[in-house]
Amino acid sequence: MAGRQVAVIDYGMGNVWSVLSAFRYLGGEATLTDDPDQIITADFLVLPGVGSFRKAMDSIRKAGMDKAIHEAVKIRGSKILGICLGMQLLAAFGSEDGETAGLGLIGNRVDPFTPLELGHRKLPHVGFNTVRFNEQAGLFRDLPGQPDFYFVHSYRMLIENLVGRHAICSYGTDFLAAFETENICGTQFHPEKSQTNGLTLLRNFLYL
Amino acid sequence: MLKKRVIFTLLYDRGSFMLSRNFRLQKVGNLQWLKKNYDFSKIAFSIDELIILDVSRSERDEKMFCEHVKKLTEECFVPITAGGGIRSVVQSRRLLCSGADKIVVNSLLAANPALVFVLASEFGRQCIVASVDARRSADGYEVWMYNGGRLQDGSLGDWLTNLMDLPIGELYLNSMDRDGTGQGYDFALLDHLPRPMPIPVILAGGAGKYQHLADGLSEQRVDAVATAHLFNFVGDGLEHARIGLIGSGHNLPVWDRNTAQEMKDIFKR
């Protein structure tokens, strides 16, 4: 099982240290990189992040990392896991600060929770919340039936036409909490902040 | 459903971890000592969040504090909040690059509210936890700043209402009277919260045993309970408390603590 090398993509936003620590806890060799060449050759890519969709896409494009991610995922078949904002960046569009194109690895949109969905609920959606799966395998193997994960976000993705395995969380509306479609994975929650539930999911990612 | 939280607060003073009683500090030990004698890894898998506060009474060593935050978060997979003496964006970013997800501000709320707006625009308001230290007075509660060293004008209620105009994500409400006493939380503090309260409330100060945490979690206005009492929740104290709380139906997140060891270094075997 030795030698899982994980490249954690650094574009200057969010808590990358905890992501590195979680993979290292599992015994993976996690390194932080903003080098397109290193991104292209990595077998396991992780795109973390907290913050603004537009700012994040700007930094990623400026560094030429968007092309590197595409080549790695679409041509080389590398596995990618987007976490929180990182998952949202995998989508086609985000409506934060005006319409911004994402990496487009999946066709979904990222929009804010609407007032109608929220009702009396507070924003951001912060804290541990329960998710449920359509299939408990792959990325979701060995997890409890309805595990708790840590979320912090004000924007959400819906399932739309996404195929493959997914997890749903309810916060006024049923939104996409995590997915695995071919070699592309994302979690709206923070597995690196979700105790052993999160560690199990990160381990599963490295087994995919 | 969104869960409530049990938070452990570590008090740090220039390389040492401290016990506080009514804001008077007593040294417990350094990081190595904490990990060894207090089985921090066990505590880490029994909490929903960790708050690390630099309460250094003399000059703070920010770099050393960040190193401690990094070390603590290496094997602690919950949200981490860190703070104490935060006065700049650079300093905040340094903490957020050391494993912290959120920062705590207290005196800054009064000293430089404009900077709180800057921090929020830089990192998002969910990233900012406003800490308030309150002490009973003849006619209600007063608010103290700078580690309890300076009295803030106005009542607790006024101060909390003012804070709601700032871009903050959570409130950490601490009783100076109960701090470290183990006599239980001061629920009367909650009567001074704005209504409705738009952000989550963390209640701190006074928890000394299981029942206090249970009482706190039962209170509808409380989203999270915090304890900084190292001695009372040493070893498996917190683990047992957690099992008890979940067993008696408190709305806390659930995970299997036992798989933590199985998972460690699984890809090195």
Side-chain angles (χ1 to χ4, degrees):
Chain A
M1 272 308 124
R4 287 292 200 285
Q5 294 188 356
V6 185
V8 178
I9 301 170
D10 180 18
Y11 56 97
M13 286 167 77
N15 181 358
V16 288
W17 174 252
S18 297
V19 177
L20 290 172
S21 297
F23 281 110
R24 285 171 186 165
Y25 183 89
L26 297 170
E29 286 171 41
T31 47
L32 198 58
T33 182
D34 58 359
D35 175 7
D37 293 337
Q38 222 177 323
I39 291 171
I40 289 172
T41 53
D43 292 330
F44 292 96
L45 286 169
V46 176
L47 187 62
V50 172
S52 141
F53 191 100
R54 168 163 289 201
K55 267 193 205 166
M57 280 313 300
D58 285 350
S59 328
I60 288 171
R61 286 213 184 86
K62 214 188 265 171
M65 291 192 268
D66 54 333
K67 293 193 183 73
I69 294 169
H70 263 270
E71 187 167 336
V73 176
K74 286 298 196 189
I75 298 168
R76 287 194 58 250
S78 306
K79 280 134 188 123
I80 189 165
L81 172 67
I83 297 175
C84 194
L85 176 63
M87 162 171 133
Q88 299 183 349
L89 296 174
L90 303 177
F93 292 103
S95 61
E96 196 171 344
D97 305 325
E99 197 87 347
T100 307
L103 291 168
L105 293 175
I106 57 170
N108 300 46
R109 293 184 51 87
V110 183
D111 290 304
F113 283 101
T114 65
L116 196 67
E117 288 166 353
L118 284 173
H120 62 282
R121 293 173 188 82
K122 297 168 182 177
L123 260 196
H125 172 222
V126 190
F128 280 86
N129 206 337
T130 308
V131 310
R132 51 191 196 277
F133 309 108
N134 67 343
E135 188 189 359
Q136 254 177 300
L139 191 64
F140 309 131
R141 188 167 65 96
D142 291 343
L143 284 165
Q146 301 211 346
D148 296 313
F149 287 97
Y150 179 74
F151 291 84
V152 46
H153 63 123
S154 301
Y155 286 73
R156 88 286 183 276
M157 284 159 77
L158 303 177
I159 300 179
E160 300 185 44
N161 300 315
L162 194 70
V163 294
R165 300 188 179 107
H166 62 245
I168 296 297
C169 178
S170 298
Y171 193 66
T173 185
D174 283 355
F175 70 89
L176 188 62
F179 69 87
E180 176 197 346
T181 174
E182 295 178 351
N183 55 336
I184 303 161
C185 306
T187 61
Q188 180 60 68
F189 50 77
H190 288 269
E192 79 282 13
K193 297 283 165 190
S194 300
Q195 295 284 24
T196 53
N197 293 342
L199 292 173
T200 303
L201 185 139
L202 294 176
R203 181 207 66 184
N204 292 344
F205 174 65
L206 297 186
Y207 275 131
L208 290 180
Chain B
M1 185 169 46
L2 205 53
K3 305 292 174 104
K4 292 200 175 191
R5 294 170 274 166
V6 174
I7 298 176
F8 197 71
T9 305
L10 277 174
L11 304 174
Y12 166 96
D13 184 344
R14 288 160 300 154
S16 296
F17 292 93
M18 317 298 284
L19 265 184
S20 171
R21 191 181 169 99
N22 303 122
F23 278 45
R24 283 187 305 276
L25 299 179
Q26 177 197 335
K27 194 182 284 190
V28 178
N30 64 14
L31 184 62
Q32 210 184 355
W33 201 80
L34 182 79
K35 284 198 166 179
K36 207 172 145 205
N37 295 300
Y38 281 84
D39 203 352
F40 181 72
S41 63
K42 216 167 203 174
I43 292 176
F45 280 105
S46 303
I47 54 176
D48 303 301
E49 185 164 333
L50 179 68
I51 296 183
I52 314 166
L53 295 178
D54 183 353
V55 293
S56 299
R57 293 297 193 250
S58 51
E59 205 183 331
R60 290 183 167 97
D61 182 338
E62 288 169 30
K63 217 177 137 191
M64 190 157 114
F65 181 54
C66 284
E67 284 309 311
H68 277 77
V69 172
K70 266 191 156 179
K71 283 278 170 224
L72 283 165
T73 55
E74 263 171 9
E75 297 199 359
C76 184
F77 305 109
V78 286
I80 312 283
T81 303
I86 287 183
R87 293 293 178 271
S88 72
V89 172
V90 176
Q91 192 186 351
S92 305
R93 183 171 289 119
R94 224 177 273 143
L95 281 172
L96 296 171
C97 291
S98 305
D101 302 281
K102 301 181 258 190
I103 49 173
V104 187
V105 289
N106 184 324
S107 310
L108 186 72
L109 298 164
N112 191 356
L115 184 57
V116 180
F117 280 92
V118 177
L119 291 172
S121 75
E122 196 69 26
F123 308 115
R125 71 183 295 162
Q126 84 290 336
C127 195
I128 299 172
V129 179
S131 158
V132 172
D133 297 320
R135 197 159 89 178
R136 265 180 207 273
S137 63
D139 51 352
Y141 285 93
E142 50 198 21
V143 175
W144 289 75
M145 304 273 162
Y146 300 93
N147 286 325
R150 193 186 298 172
L151 181 64
Q152 172 76 9
D153 286 338
S155 71
L156 173 64
D158 294 342
W159 181 238
L160 294 177
T161 303
N162 285 342
L163 288 186
M164 296 310 125
D165 293 333
L166 295 178
I168 53 177
E170 285 172 69
L171 175 70
Y172 185 90
L173 188 55
N174 188 26
S175 160
M176 296 173 70
D177 308 289
R178 298 291 175 91
D179 175 58
T181 61
Q183 293 168 351
Y185 293 111
D186 185 355
F187 291 104
L189 284 172
L190 301 170
D191 297 336
H192 300 264
L193 292 173
R195 269 176 279 184
M197 182 61 186
I199 56 170
V201 176
I202 303 164
L203 187 60
K209 56 181 188 184
Y210 164 80
Q211 191 55 46
H212 296 149
L213 301 178
D215 293 344
L217 292 169
S218 302
E219 165 60 53
Q220 187 251 329
R221 293 169 290 181
V222 170
D223 297 276
V225 289
T227 177
H229 212 302
L230 271 171
F231 284 142
N232 286 17
F233 293 103
V234 67
D236 44 19
L238 210 52
E239 187 189 353
H240 286 309
R242 182 176 196 84
I243 292 168
L245 290 167
I246 291 170
S248 55
H250 285 283
N251 180 28
L252 293 175
V254 179
W255 56 82
D256 183 358
R257 224 193 58 78
N258 299 317
T259 55
Q261 275 313 311
E262 294 165 29
M263 220 95 70
K264 193 166 162 57
D265 291 329
I266 190 168
F267 290 108
K268 278 189 180 160
R269 287 169 213 156

